Amino acid sequence: MDSSVEKGKSAAITSYILGVGVFIAMSMNAEDKSSFASFHIRQGLGLTLTFISLGLIISNFDNLMISSSMWVCVFVLWSYGIFTAIKGETKPVPLVGNLYQKWFASIS
């Protein structure tokens, strides 16, 4: 496995802890930049912001079906992201991963 992947793996995995994990991973990646960690930090940040945005929108509907579908969707995307980080791969999460890479390109 590439040394940059090994160097950034803990930061990459940490970035998927919704909420604070992104900021912890950013500080872990601040000194010795790892492109692998940066990729997953952008994915984790995107998932966190998507989770918060969907939560704010869906909270207006008092419907279990809508809420549960949001939770399942976010959980599937989160699982995909964290497992690719654990395996040492840089695959964007389905549907929105490429957008996260474009939108958060300044985070490196």
Side-chain angles (χ1 to χ4, degrees):
M1 200 175 283
D2 189 10
S3 65
S4 68
V5 170
E6 283 302 317
K7 183 176 70 169
K9 199 171 214 180
S10 60
I13 294 168
T14 304
S15 70
Y16 287 101
I17 300 171
L18 292 177
V20 298
V22 172
F23 300 110
I24 294 169
M26 286 173 124
S27 67
M28 291 169 69
N29 197 40
E31 208 166 295
D32 291 336
K33 295 279 187 203
S34 163
S35 59
F36 176 75
S38 296
F39 174 87
H40 285 287
I41 288 170
R42 289 189 290 270
Q43 296 290 295
L45 177 62
L47 284 174
T48 300
L49 293 176
T50 299
F51 175 70
I52 292 169
S53 302
L54 284 175
L56 289 172
I57 294 167
I58 289 175
S59 67
N60 293 318
F61 305 100
D62 193 19
N63 187 318
L64 184 62
M65 290 293 279
I66 295 172
S67 299
S68 6
S69 61
M70 182 214 60
W71 280 97
V72 168
C73 180
V74 168
F75 179 75
V76 167
L77 293 177
W78 173 83
S79 298
Y80 184 88
I82 198 163
F83 283 119
T84 57
I86 290 168
K87 291 193 313 187
E89 300 173 347
T90 53
K91 292 182 183 174
V93 293
L95 305 174
V96 288
N98 289 324
L99 293 173
Y100 297 158
Q101 292 302 314
K102 190 177 358 172
W103 294 340
F104 306 122
S106 62
I107 298 173
S108 58

